[in-house]
Amino acid sequence: MAVATDLRPAQVRASAIDSRYRRGVGRWLVLAAAVLVGLAVLAPFGIMLLNAFKSPQDYAANGPLSLPSGLYLDGVVAFWERTDFPVKLWNSVFISAVVAVLGALLSLLNAYAIGIGRVKGRLWIVALFLLANMLPQEALIYPLFTMAQSVGLSNSQWSVIIIFTVIQSAFGTYLLSSVLGTFPPALLEAAALDGASRWRILWQVVFPIVRPTLSVLMIFFFIWTWNEFFIPLVMLTSNDTQTIPIALASLQGDRMMDAPTINAGSLVSLVPAVIFFLIFQRTLTRGVTAGAVK
Amino acid sequence: MADTALTERRSRADTRPRAPRGTRRRRAPWVGYLPYLLPGAVAFVVVIGYPLVTNVYFSLFKWRGGMAPLRWNGLGNYVDLLGDDKFWTSFGNSLAMIVAMVLVPTLLGLVLAAVLFDYLGRRFGERVSSVLRATYYLPQILPVAVAGVLWNWILNSQTGALNVILRGIGVETPPNWLGDPSTALPSVMLVLIWVQMGYPVVIFMAALQRVDPELYEAAELDGAGWWDRFRAITVPQIRPETFVVTLTCTVAALKVFGPIYVLTRGGPESSTLVPSYYSYLNFFDKSQVGYGSAIATVLTLVIVVVALVILGLQNRAERREREGV
């Protein structure tokens, strides 16, 4: 598990520009090809930026590739007002943040029992959690939908929070269990000799050491929940509970939505995710690999 | 992954502290940890276990949802599925989704990661390769609904950027990308490739950092070119990560919903229908809850079987590797 490992020698060596390789024109061709792929990836973003600040007349007259003839904020304003953006933003932040915290907590409790307590049948338990993570949400949604109605949580952010806390913690349990499975036994023994209870060992010995892993998990849970579409689409039916992606998608059918508004809406909707990504980029790239590297 | 870590632990079991012998009845040490599993177990049963079983139960009835009566139908829904063209179309399209979300991104990602790490990284420095990596990864961080709305506009036949540009360069009647049954599926596939490509690049580049650079140096001294090293070192060394990427992306491809909902809603003429959207349609549009549940149950089975097959292949490959060494 590479969650907490820092730069290893191999990485340091590979990062140095090797003077042996600094010759030939072939390398420029390869670089050009790689940059071209990058530009193809960026093109939709670029075209969105170009058109987010145009007036509809400007777009109709000059098309999608021209520079905006002036800075029109009408599209942003239209999107902001029509979706009640601050409400949607708060819903997204609230749901994602609570899921991140609760999901990490639940993962830690599960993983403590599985990885450190090594409860009987743990392989099956981990397999079960892993399976839960792979299930299509369609196979849960109708029962969840009726359950939410019967306990008065229909159209409530809490229904979505509860569901995603469990779904995300299924992955978190899987990942943390294998991290805690290799926890140094000497630390546990020392604490046990001092007479610390399991509860104290969890919070005073285990928790501080796995905190970096937990924060990576929380960032993941936050972004995953933020981007979720299906369950919020079904569960959050009214305007005051919807999240940003649902608001944008439901506005799409609106005939009044012209090209600049679509672009402004897409731009405004992805800005929070991009800011979050930029802040946590380092933690994230380490985290993306955490699941894949032993 | 978890398995190996857990079995390693098992061998160290003897070194763990035990409850003092003597007056009290001895319990296995793990029993004391069971309370920590309790919240997770309850939550799991309520949110995953019970709904999953209930879904299978619903699939045995004809039910219009809500307060309407459940009428026993046995395996009738499943029999109906066998004769339902749309059902077969949706699973056929799942294969297209696997091409777009697994096959193409994994192959492209493999080449791009190797080029960035082993070629450009050495010739232009790590900064160049990490900027390119971040660029490729960008589509992965935006909500899939946002990506869908953006592409829906780009591909729109009248006002979309692509066709406006095509008309600008003299194409009289550019295709109706998402509106024509013959172009809709390939268009959706292209969008998914765009979304998905960065994920394997990031995973594979991380995997390559794990590989001992001396392997490459030794190969170079033996006169192996870039392609030889790619084939003989890069590909075999990152095989574990390739399995992880294949597994996670295949499951994601079978489950895909958001892009379909936002781009085409399964249309035109079911040309982009996928199982998850078809079950959603039956649940909330056609009010055929039993039928929707049957589709969701079949989809679940397919995903579990596919995942088990991939995991089995991975185990076999690992065993072979161990025996080969």
Side-chain angles (χ1 to χ4, degrees):
Chain A
M1 200 63 49
V3 185
T5 39
D6 272 310
L7 284 179
R8 279 158 292 179
Q11 239 171 300
V12 177
R13 270 162 70 188
S15 69
I17 303 176
D18 210 320
S19 56
R20 281 179 298 165
Y21 298 112
R22 307 208 93 185
R23 50 198 142 92
V25 285
R27 64 200 177 105
W28 291 104
L29 288 176
V30 177
L31 180 68
V35 169
L36 221 59
V37 174
L39 287 178
V41 171
L42 286 181
F45 291 104
I47 213 164
M48 170 183 69
L49 268 177
L50 264 183
N51 294 288
F53 302 108
K54 277 181 195 169
S55 70
Q57 297 76 21
D58 187 5
Y59 179 79
N62 300 318
L65 287 189
S66 67
L67 287 171
S69 57
L71 187 66
Y72 289 89
L73 293 173
D74 299 6
V76 178
V77 172
F79 176 75
W80 196 280
E81 283 174 351
R82 233 181 288 171
T83 56
D84 238 338
F85 191 76
V87 176
K88 313 289 150 117
L89 181 66
W90 166 248
N91 288 338
S92 277
V93 170
F94 176 68
I95 292 174
S96 309
V98 177
V99 167
V101 173
L102 292 182
L105 182 71
L106 201 59
S107 307
L108 180 64
L109 291 179
N110 286 338
Y112 186 54
I114 296 168
I116 294 202
R118 301 190 347 280
V119 297
K120 209 170 181 190
R122 58 192 170 277
L123 280 180
W124 288 105
I125 298 174
V126 170
L128 211 61
F129 277 115
L130 197 59
L131 200 68
N133 203 248
M134 290 188 203
L135 288 176
Q137 294 171 349
E138 289 75 15
L140 309 173
I141 194 65
Y142 211 88
L144 286 173
F145 180 67
T146 51
M147 284 161 79
Q149 278 178 333
S150 62
V151 295
L153 281 181
S154 59
N155 191 28
S156 151
Q157 288 101 327
W158 285 102
S159 63
V160 176
I161 288 174
I162 294 170
I163 294 168
F164 282 123
T165 296
V166 179
I167 292 180
Q168 312 293 30
S169 75
F171 175 82
T173 302
Y174 161 73
L175 190 105
L176 263 186
S177 297
S178 68
V179 172
L180 290 184
T182 57
F183 198 86
L187 282 175
L188 300 172
E189 280 160 32
L193 281 177
D194 289 344
S197 64
R198 291 189 192 90
W199 181 251
R200 279 196 55 177
I201 291 180
L202 170 59
W203 293 111
Q204 298 192 342
V205 180
V206 176
F207 175 71
I209 292 187
V210 293
R211 209 157 38 191
T213 315
L214 279 176
S215 55
V216 171
L217 271 186
M218 284 176 61
I219 294 168
F220 264 105
F221 294 172
F222 188 94
I223 292 192
W224 288 343
T225 311
W226 185 284
N227 290 354
E228 274 293 340
F229 188 69
F230 180 67
I231 286 181
L233 175 76
V234 173
M235 299 300 243
L236 306 174
T237 43
S238 78
N239 266 322
D240 54 336
T241 55
Q242 278 173 354
T243 58
I244 294 176
I246 312 298
L248 183 68
S250 48
L251 201 67
Q252 186 183 234
D254 197 335
R255 291 212 162 270
M256 295 297 291
M257 186 125 129
D258 46 64
T261 310
I262 293 171
N263 284 285
S266 307
L267 183 65
V268 172
S269 302
L270 68 83
V271 161
V274 171
I275 290 176
F276 201 76
F277 176 73
L278 291 177
I279 296 174
F280 292 106
Q281 206 219 1
R282 287 191 74 117
T283 335
L284 255 178
T285 27
R286 254 190 302 152
V288 179
T289 61
V293 183
K294 288 192 194 186
Chain B
M1 270 175 282
D3 316 31
T4 49
L6 290 169
T7 31
E8 270 164 35
R9 284 288 289 166
R10 196 184 298 155
S11 59
R12 276 185 304 203
D14 313 45
T15 65
R16 294 181 43 77
R18 301 207 173 187
R21 286 158 196 270
T23 51
R24 262 187 295 165
R25 197 162 46 90
R26 284 182 58 202
R27 288 187 311 182
W30 57 266
V31 174
Y33 288 93
L34 282 181
Y36 293 90
L37 216 46
L38 198 65
V42 171
F44 185 90
V45 169
V46 172
V47 175
I48 312 268
Y50 175 75
L52 189 64
V53 173
T54 312
N55 182 73
V56 176
Y57 174 77
F58 285 165
S59 76
L60 303 175
F61 292 85
K62 276 187 186 289
W63 184 30
R64 301 197 62 81
M67 303 299 282
L70 278 84
R71 284 183 293 130
W72 175 255
N73 194 20
L75 292 176
N77 287 328
Y78 295 92
V79 174
D80 290 349
L81 280 181
L82 291 178
D84 182 350
D85 288 345
K86 285 191 173 181
F87 172 76
W88 291 107
T89 308
S90 72
F91 271 97
N93 288 340
S94 283
L95 294 179
M97 298 300 131
I98 289 176
V99 171
M101 291 177 71
V102 188
L103 200 63
V104 176
T106 307
L107 292 178
L108 268 178
L110 198 59
V111 174
L112 286 172
V115 166
L116 287 191
F117 183 81
D118 179 38
Y119 193 93
L120 293 178
R122 291 197 200 180
R123 284 160 181 81
F124 296 94
E126 207 193 342
R127 179 153 297 232
V128 172
S129 64
S130 66
V131 166
L132 282 167
R133 180 186 62 186
T135 310
Y136 299 160
Y137 192 69
L138 202 56
Q140 279 273 303
I141 57 158
L142 61 146
V144 76
V146 176
V149 169
L150 180 60
W151 275 100
N152 200 11
W153 163 69
I154 292 177
L155 296 172
N156 185 295
S157 67
Q158 294 307 313
T159 56
L162 183 56
N163 279 1
V164 172
I165 295 167
L166 285 179
R167 273 190 223 106
I169 59 171
V171 181
E172 300 269 317
T173 48
N176 184 356
W177 301 103
L178 294 170
D180 186 325
S182 63
T183 50
L185 188 61
S187 304
V188 169
M189 288 170 74
L190 271 177
V191 173
L192 288 172
I193 292 172
W194 177 81
V195 169
Q196 199 68 13
M197 195 185 65
Y199 171 68
V201 174
V202 168
I203 299 270
F204 289 152
M205 280 189 72
L208 286 171
Q209 292 177 340
R210 191 170 50 80
V211 178
D212 187 353
E214 282 176 19
L215 274 179
Y216 285 101
E217 280 164 25
E220 265 176 84
L221 287 179
D222 289 346
W226 187 84
W227 174 248
D228 292 321
R229 279 175 284 144
F230 176 73
R231 227 186 35 195
I233 302 174
T234 307
V235 174
Q237 285 288 324
I238 63 173
R239 192 172 287 148
E241 282 80 4
T242 315
F243 271 113
V244 172
V245 166
T246 312
L247 177 64
T248 50
C249 292
T250 308
V251 171
L254 289 169
K255 294 204 289 193
V256 69
F257 175 85
I260 300 295
Y261 180 92
V262 180
L263 285 173
T264 63
R265 308 228 167 173
E269 295 166 31
S270 304
S271 59
T272 59
L273 193 66
V274 291
S276 63
Y277 188 76
Y278 193 35
S279 74
Y280 170 84
L281 210 60
N282 278 288
F283 282 141
F284 299 105
D285 205 55
K286 299 180 173 176
S287 294
Q288 297 188 333
V289 178
Y291 201 58
S293 301
I295 299 167
T297 305
V298 172
L299 177 60
T300 309
L301 276 177
V302 169
I303 288 176
V304 170
V305 168
V306 168
L308 288 178
V309 167
I310 295 177
L311 285 171
L313 286 175
Q314 179 182 17
N315 269 336
R316 210 174 64 176
E318 271 176 19
R319 214 174 36 238
R320 270 206 198 135
E321 206 165 309
R322 270 200 304 274
E323 282 161 6
V325 171

